[in-house]
Amino acid sequence: MSYNTKDNPILKVTFEFSIEILKLTDELQEKRKYTIANQLSRSGTSIGANVYEAQGAESRADFIHKFKIAAKEAEESKYWLMICTEMGYLQDNKLLNDLEVICKILGKIISSSKNKIQLSH
């Protein structure tokens, strides 16, 4: 990977997830499954985009908000990946498994960030 995300695990996993989502959506486009490809590419890449954007947050509340958006996009991505699995477009569970890990990390970051806000009041 040419981008410096190695020092930040959530940036690294969400960036790699986005790349894998784009590879899958390219395959879906080739199969003329445009609606699924479009929805999945938007939600799947939005996770990492929001995590990346959170790195420059103006406040802890803004940081948490960006991570909450990323978590919502992860849930939407899970939905589209489940459809892909049911329709036979996704042969293994790697992306779903990766997404579960991402969801757990996002949840932990949101939770610990909220706790820091509560401790500071």
Side-chain angles (χ1 to χ4, degrees):
M1 175 184 305
S2 60
Y3 295 98
N4 187 12
T5 60
K6 67 179 185 287
D7 296 335
N8 189 325
I10 190 62
L11 282 177
K12 182 179 187 302
V13 296
T14 57
F15 185 86
E16 290 170 353
F17 182 79
S18 292
I19 298 300
E20 293 305 314
I21 286 293
L22 291 172
K23 288 177 184 177
L24 173 59
T25 57
D26 281 349
E27 291 175 24
L28 291 169
Q29 291 275 2
E30 289 172 10
K31 295 177 181 175
R32 303 173 57 104
K33 305 302 176 194
Y34 303 117
T35 301
I36 296 171
N38 186 37
Q39 294 292 339
L40 183 57
S41 68
R42 287 175 187 257
S43 64
T45 59
S46 182
I47 301 164
N50 278 287
V51 168
Y52 192 84
E53 189 177 346
Q55 306 310 301
E58 296 176 13
S59 65
R60 190 171 306 277
D62 186 35
F63 179 86
I64 292 168
H65 178 71
K66 300 289 186 224
F67 269 86
K68 284 183 173 181
I69 294 170
K72 287 180 180 183
E73 295 293 339
E75 289 301 318
E76 181 180 344
S77 297
K78 184 177 180 181
Y79 174 80
W80 291 111
L81 287 172
M82 291 184 324
I83 286 180
C84 287
T85 300
E86 281 298 311
M87 298 293 293
Y89 306 139
L90 193 57
Q91 303 307 316
D92 62 37
N93 289 331
K94 183 183 179 336
L95 283 173
L96 279 167
N97 292 339
D98 291 349
L99 190 54
E100 284 300 317
V101 171
I102 289 169
C103 286
K104 287 178 184 176
I105 296 170
L106 292 174
K108 184 66 176 167
I109 291 169
I110 292 166
S111 175
S112 65
S113 296
K114 283 182 176 180
N115 287 341
K116 287 179 184 176
I117 287 178
Q118 291 170 350
L119 292 174
S120 67
H121 286 119

